[in-house]
């Protein structure tokens, strides 16, 4: 339950600052990986997670797939990087 509250506490600030961070190519996967490293990494993590459960592994796979798909389908309408206009 605490993990769900932490995720919700991360999503709300991301919604507020995502446009500004997008200017520097900081996307949701990058931001959430950094947040996960800060919260669950190190000798004394803020969140202690049981990585051995199958449900945890499945939920991480699902979240990663959705986030990477959403990031990969971003369309840049002005012909910038990632567009298929054929221009360099």
């Amino acid at each position: 339950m605490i993990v769900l509250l932490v995720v919700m506490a991360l999503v709300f600030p991301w919604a507020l600052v995502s446009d500004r961070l997008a200017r520097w190519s900081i996307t949701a996967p990058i931001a959430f990986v950094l947040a996960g490293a800060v919260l669950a990494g190190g000798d004394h993590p803020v969140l202690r997670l049981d990585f051995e459960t199958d449900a945890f592994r499945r939920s991480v796979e699902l979240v990663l797939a959705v986030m990477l798909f959403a990031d990969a389908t971003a369309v840049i309408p002005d012909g910038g990087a990632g567009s298929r206009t054929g221009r360099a």
Side-chain angles (χ1 to χ4, degrees), residues 24-78:
W24 295 299
S25 297
I26 299 175
T27 60
I30 294 170
F32 286 108
V33 165
L34 289 175
V38 169
L39 291 174
D43 293 334
H44 303 288
V46 176
L47 294 175
R48 294 191 184 277
L49 302 173
D50 182 16
F51 295 112
E52 300 301 320
T53 64
D54 189 52
F56 180 78
R57 187 184 60 128
R58 293 286 183 191
S59 63
V60 169
E61 288 174 352
L62 177 66
V63 168
L64 182 61
V66 169
M67 289 179 68
L68 291 177
F69 178 77
D71 193 46
T73 58
V75 176
I76 302 171
D78 64 349

